Amino acid sequence: MKNSALAALAAFLVSTPVVIAVPVYGQCGGIGYTGSTVCDAGSTCTYSNDWYSQCLPGSSNPTTTPRPTSTTSTSTRPTSGTTTTTSTGPISTDNPYVGYDVYLSPYYAAEVAAAVKNIKDATIAAKAASVAKIPTFTWYDIAAKVPDLGVDLANAKSIQTSTGKKQLVQIVVYDLPDRDCHAKASNGEYSIANGGEAKYRAYIDAIAAQISKYPDIRIVAVVEPDSLANLVTNLSDPKCANAANVYKSSTIYAIQKLNQSNVYLYLDAGHGGWLGWDANLAPAAQLFGQLLKTAGGTYRVRGLATNVSNYNALRTNTPDPITQGNKCYSEELYANALGPLLTQNGFPAHFIIDQGRSGVQNIRKEWGNWCNILGAGFGIRPTTNTGNSLIDAIVWIKPGGESDGTSDTSSPRYDSTCGLSDSTRPAPEAGTWFQAYFETLVTKANPAL
Ligand SMILES: *[C@@H]1O[C@H](CO)[C@@H](O)[C@H](O)[C@H]1NC(C)=O
Ligand SMILES: *[C@@H]1O[C@H](CO)[C@@H](O)[C@H](O)[C@H]1NC(C)=O
Ligand SMILES: *[C@@H]1O[C@H](CO)[C@@H](O)[C@H](O)[C@H]1NC(C)=O
């Protein structure tokens, strides 16, 4: 190339900032976000909440400006408080929750605060506002959100310094390539066919880098909801069969890379209505045990998380009729059945159980239904008082009020489960705020808010 041409090229590069388009489902806006706000062709930057705008398929709106514009500096996330879990009752030694305050996600608190403004009834609004003080997990479901983890950890660190109370931050690691291989609503940003495994490793590296900067903040991480459970039962689905090896190697990579002394990992184990069937229990325990053996060495794997985003009861004297034929008709029975099998397979038998939306029982037509179930209420509050030494804590993993999936049949992420008669409709895209659903969770909370 001639010098003049080079000069012209240089001038062009200087005068024309290179705009990197965000891929579909990537983040394109929100308070504190500093990346590109331009979406790939065919998708539109869509406001989800003050903290998050996302490139969604469709081009109805030609502008790419997300709202709200971030006029404030990135250091002005809402102040967060903390809450203490009770620690009476049987608890196992080394339970990561004991002696720690669980950090409250400012992101969820902001979602709740925005929702409260839309509730006219003062009594319900007050109950709804109280939800912001109940700890939920923060989902890192796209790599673009990982910098937020650094903000949360810095926040937790300053709370710890100012109050002297040790802080525990709860996260969900959720970005496997070909994610959610047996469903559609929660498919992720990476595909195996398109270098997804390497991208996933970079995502894990980014999380590990944030965590290693705060060695005195404790992290509880739920690893990849639904993924290994799908390998136990859904290998007949070609998408799951194709993903099996990458799911395993990627999970092992996460286990190895997140092996820092402040981290406690709980791999996801579906729920009693999935892996709790007699035919599935032993294969599930073998899969988890084998995975740790393949990883080699000792890692910071504490146990399993169950019932993530589901609606099952912790314990019940009146099993839901849909559970008929399954000995594990409650999550506690599932933990009790799986625990000894895990031990036999060299996998730590400790559990955390999501009860965020389990307040109301017997509301599903079939056990496998999971999408924005009608009539659900917030469930048992997070606590280490679980009454079962296998269960480290009751937690709220799914942020109640965020949709499980859209009911819009024309959406590429439409999953027919979200159109069933026991799902709340109309429902927005997975992960986006679902005001009507949140209000039902509040009014039907059990125990009441
Ligand atoms: C396949 O996976 C779904 C969850 O995606 C689960 O509910 C279902 O029970 C699995 N199918 C079978 C045949 O086990
Ligand atoms: C994982 O980390 C723990 C300490 O945090 C350490 O004892 C253990 O050896 C590490 N495992 C491997 C395989 O490096
Ligand atoms: C899962 O959680 C739901 C509520 O979120 C609850 O109704 C259900 O009982 C739980 N299932 C298990 C097996 O824990």
Side-chain angles (χ1 to χ4, degrees), residues 13 64 69 96 115 129 155 165 216 218 223 235 248 253 255 267 276 286 300 347 367 436 449:
L13 288 177
T64 54
T69 4
N155 243 333
K165 290 186 177 161
D216 54 350
R218 185 165 281 187
V223 178
L235 285 180
K248 288 183 202 163
Y253 186 81
I255 290 170
L267 307 191
Q286 279 156 16
R300 306 287 303 165
F347 192 95
W367 209 353
L449 288 161

Side-chain angles (χ1 to χ4, degrees), residues 182-183 230 233-234 274 368:
H182 191 66
N230 266 317
T233 63
N234 282 321
W274 187 348

Side-chain angles (χ1 to χ4, degrees), residues 50-81:
D50 287 3
W51 303 94
Y52 188 47
S53 296
Q54 187 180 28
C55 294
L56 295 178
S59 52
S60 51
N61 178 355
T63 75
T64 54
T65 317
R67 69 186 171 90
T69 4
S70 170
T71 47
T72 49
S73 82
T74 55
S75 60
T76 55
R77 305 184 99 207
T79 30
S80 50

Side-chain angles (χ1 to χ4, degrees), residues 38-52:
V38 178
C39 291
D40 258 355
S43 64
T44 307
C45 191
T46 308
Y47 172 82
S48 160
N49 58 51
D50 287 3
W51 303 94
Y52 188 47

Side-chain angles (χ1 to χ4, degrees), residues 15-37:
S15 63
T16 318
V18 181
V19 178
I20 299 165
V22 178
V24 69
Y25 299 123
Q27 184 177 9
C28 54
I31 297 170
Y33 173 77
T34 54
S36 173
T37 57

